[in-house]
């Protein structure tokens, strides 16, 4: 489902959080929203499922304007997982938590088993979510949103509080969402982990869009480092290593980087071989 | 010695597996300990135990002991920023400045001292610009910074931080790491954190927990051995070299260490592939 922000501004009583934000997120893509603390990222996400309505401009999910629908109606289009999982969890067992949105909003609960498998929650299904560790509570909250099986999945800082094991589970969930052609929008500070999944990047600073577009296009820009620094974002570590090692392209994860280095080495060897053969002739 | 765990074990209730098992750990002034480990390993419980905050679990079962310096409970003693720091904002005050000042106020410090400490703490964390804002209206990361500033304003001798950068943007996280690296010269730090970059900058010692037990304890560079990367997150460059060495990549020098924490040395090792 396509998401369109058209000249969107939003003000809290004492602060303008977003100023004239426009962007179009394509159906089935994964978009990362990045920026400094207080840049408007979470506000951007809350406008998507109608918890907040724009002060100016429009947010449209396909051709549905969020102004025209109640949050309960928009829940059929967009499931949002909050920054603080404890704001979201309420059921007495993990199973009930996972089934709630799914049964009450979308109907059949068909994704519940898949989600609990992907997030490795099977052993906790009968436990009270509030008795689990923070990382597990976060996975349950994310899983509950995913299980709603909406065309749009919005996640607010999903990696925070997760150790590398749960991050890997989250990665599988994002890949699964992608295979189901869901549009996934993720607010994050964790570019090192999430860049491999991303199609588009939205960069915010003080409520304004500094960049919106393809991931690879961003890294092709000469001013990418300055752009990121201006948004409180650190230049991702694998991109830095790719540049230092002359990998020839920006790699977004370690394995990709090593493979790229090996490929270049093989290419260079082949060229040298060819040269020798020519000389021999 | 500020605090010393002696064969300390703890379970939240009789029918739950112990969250901590036979912990022996001493934390001294001028030292920083980073606690790593997978979720559920016992990191947060260790932080709460060090902060003497486990007494609120009536069904809990504990054994062993935790020795503390006598003044550890007073202001200037122990301060903690919990994983769920949202719960630590009082919302009784309408500005960030007053919120940060609140704990000092509550401890009856003189007015001038309170104002000075709150101002300094805001500056240290880099949130002077939020001083007049209402805490209710802040973003998640900004709230985390407010709670960090509140803890600093108490001028503790033992500062306990449970995942202190979980909601911070990368620039702020790097800034906090610098502040902590400076702070550890004077006080003791106990930090539950898996972020390898913070660990590199701040930790004198890394304690690795797995299922409630200490499985490694020492300087970051010294605890790294095969198998540990399942429990401890490594910097990206260290992981790359480690993978290449593990795969026995033919272009890697035989002398390449499997765990290379220094960025420069790791890049030099990877240049072997180029």
């Amino acid at each position: 489902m396509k998401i369109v922000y058209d000249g969107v501004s939003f003000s809290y009583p004492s602060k303008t959080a977003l100023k004239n934000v426009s962007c179009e997120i394509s159906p089935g893509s994964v978009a990362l929203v990045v920026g400094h603390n207080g840049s408007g990222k979470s506000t951007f996400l809350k406008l998507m499922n109608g918890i907040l309505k724009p002060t100016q401009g429009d947010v449209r999910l396909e051709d549905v304007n969020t102004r025209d629908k109640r949050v309960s109606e928009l829940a059929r289009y967009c499931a949002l997982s909050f920054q603080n999982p404890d704001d979201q969890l309420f059921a007495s067992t993990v199973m009930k938590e996972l089934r709630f949105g799914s049964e009450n909003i979308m109907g059949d609960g068909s994704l519940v088993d898949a989600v609990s498998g992907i997030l490795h929650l099977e052993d906790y299904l009968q436990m009270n979510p509030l008795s689990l560790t923070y990382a597990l509570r976060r996975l349950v909250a994310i899983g509950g949103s995913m299980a709603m099986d909406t065309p749009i999945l919005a996640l607010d800082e999903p990696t925070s509080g997760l150790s590398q094991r749960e991050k890997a589970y989250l990665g599988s969930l994002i890949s699964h969402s992608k295979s189901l052609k869901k549009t996934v929008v993720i607010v994050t500070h964790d570019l090192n982990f999430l860049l491999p999944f991303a199609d588009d990047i939205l960069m915010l600073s003080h409520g304004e869009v500094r960049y919106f577009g393809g991931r690879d296009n961003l890294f092709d820009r000469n001013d990418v480092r300055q752009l990121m620094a201006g948004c409180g974002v650190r230049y991702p570590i694998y991109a830095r290593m790719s540049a230092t090692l002359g990998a020839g392209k920006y790699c977004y994860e370690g394995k990709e980087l090593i493979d790229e280095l090996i490929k270049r080495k093989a290419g260079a060897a082949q060229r040298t071989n060819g040269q020798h053969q020519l000389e021999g002739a | 010695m500020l605090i010393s765990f002696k064969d300390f074990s703890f379970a939240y209730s009789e029918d739950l597996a112990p969250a901590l098992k036979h912990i022996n750990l001493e934390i001294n002034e001028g030292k920083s300990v980073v606690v790593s480990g997978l979720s559920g390993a016992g990191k947060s419980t260790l932080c709460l135990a060090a902060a003497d905050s486990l007494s609120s679990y009536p069904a809990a079962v504990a054994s062993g002991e935790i020795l503390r310096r006598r003044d550890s409970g007073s202001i200037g003693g122990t301060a903690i920023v919990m994983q769920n720091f949202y719960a630590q904002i009082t919302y009784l005050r309408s500005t960030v400045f007053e919120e940060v000042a609140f704990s000092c106020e509550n401890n009856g410090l003189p007015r001038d001292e309170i104002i000075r400490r709150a101002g300094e703490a805001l500056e240290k964390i880099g949130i002077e610009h939020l001083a007049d804002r209402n805490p209710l209206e802040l973003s998640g990361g900004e709230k985390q910074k407010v709670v960090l500033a509140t803890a600093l304003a108490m001028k503790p001798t033992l500062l306990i931080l449970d995942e202190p950068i979980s909601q911070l943007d990368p620039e702020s996280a790097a800034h906090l790491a610098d502040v902590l690296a400076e702070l550890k010269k004077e006080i003791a730090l106990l930090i539950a954190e898996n972020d390898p970059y913070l660990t590199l900058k701040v930790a004198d010692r890394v304690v690795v927990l797995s299922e409630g037990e200490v499985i490694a304890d020492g300087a970051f560079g010294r605890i790294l051995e095969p198998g540990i990367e399942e429990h401890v997150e490594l910097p990206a460059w260290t992981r790359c070299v480690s993978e290449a060495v593990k795969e026995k990549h033919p272009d890697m020098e035989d002398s390449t260490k499997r765990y290379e924490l220094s960025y420069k040395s790791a890049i030099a090792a990877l240049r072997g592939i180029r």
Side-chain angles (χ1 to χ4, degrees), chain B residues 70-210:
Chain B
R70 197 169 302 151
D71 59 357
S72 68
S74 56
I75 187 158
T78 306
I80 180 169
V81 176
M82 297 188 292
Q83 190 168 39
N84 185 7
F85 57 85
Y86 298 99
Q88 285 183 272
I89 298 184
T90 67
Y91 298 116
L92 295 169
R93 294 287 185 263
S94 57
T95 70
V96 164
F97 190 91
E98 292 170 77
E99 174 68 35
V100 171
F102 185 76
S103 49
C104 294
E105 222 179 328
N106 212 18
N107 278 280
L109 293 182
R111 182 185 159 84
D112 292 354
E113 176 73 6
I114 296 171
I115 293 173
R116 194 171 54 79
R117 284 189 180 202
E120 276 175 12
L122 290 177
E123 195 188 326
K124 216 164 217 171
I125 299 294
I127 51 169
E128 306 99 302
H129 63 287
L130 299 179
D132 296 327
R133 298 271 305 279
N134 188 327
L136 268 174
E137 289 186 358
L138 299 180
S139 78
E142 288 169 340
K143 282 179 182 159
Q144 191 165 26
K145 291 180 191 175
V146 169
V147 179
L148 286 163
T150 306
L152 287 188
M154 306 270 287
K155 290 196 186 289
T157 44
L158 172 61
L159 177 60
I160 303 165
L161 305 172
D162 193 351
E163 304 215 13
I165 58 170
S166 61
Q167 305 288 344
L168 299 191
D169 63 55
E171 288 294 342
S172 305
H175 173 70
L176 183 70
D178 289 336
V179 170
L180 295 176
E182 200 51 41
L183 205 60
K184 75 168 186 188
K185 294 175 188 162
E186 301 155 29
I187 69 170
L189 299 173
L190 176 66
I191 307 170
E193 184 57 64
N194 278 316
D195 181 89
Y197 310 102
L198 184 117
T199 307
L200 263 182
K201 219 180 238 179
V202 180
D204 291 316
R205 185 170 151 204
V206 182
V207 170
V208 186
L209 290 177
S210 172

Side-chain angles (χ1 to χ4, degrees), chain A residues 212-241:
Chain A
F212 176 72
R215 173 193 67 178
D216 298 347
N217 292 341
L218 172 64
F219 284 92
D220 282 343
R221 281 174 64 139
N222 292 326
D223 60 348
V224 55
R225 284 170 192 256
Q226 294 93 305
L227 203 57
M228 288 190 157
C231 296
V233 177
R234 288 233 145 173
Y235 195 59
I237 189 65
Y238 291 116
R240 181 175 145 203
M241 289 170 66

Side-chain angles (χ1 to χ4, degrees), chain A residues 177-211:
Chain A
S177 306
K178 219 171 168 166
S179 72
L180 296 174
K181 304 269 188 292
K182 292 181 187 300
T183 311
V184 185
V185 184
I186 308 173
V187 162
T188 189
H189 295 301
D190 198 349
L191 280 183
N192 287 335
F193 177 71
L194 286 171
L195 269 180
F197 302 95
D199 297 300
D200 293 323
I201 312 278
L202 173 67
M203 290 172 68
L204 294 173
S205 175
H206 299 287
E208 291 178 61
V209 176
R210 290 297 154 85
Y211 177 85

Side-chain angles (χ1 to χ4, degrees), chain B residues 18-75:
Chain B
L20 294 174
K21 294 178 208 161
H22 307 290
I23 302 290
N24 286 293
L25 184 68
E26 194 167 289
I27 302 170
N28 296 300
E29 272 151 331
K31 289 285 171 206
S32 56
V33 177
V34 169
V35 185
S36 276
L38 295 174
S39 121
K43 302 188 296 296
S44 295
T45 308
L46 188 70
C47 286
L48 292 173
D52 201 11
S53 300
L54 286 176
S55 49
S56 55
Y57 295 91
V61 186
S63 63
E65 56 183 340
I66 304 173
L67 307 173
R68 299 164 203 283
R69 218 171 68 175
R70 197 169 302 151
D71 59 357
S72 68
S74 56
I75 187 158

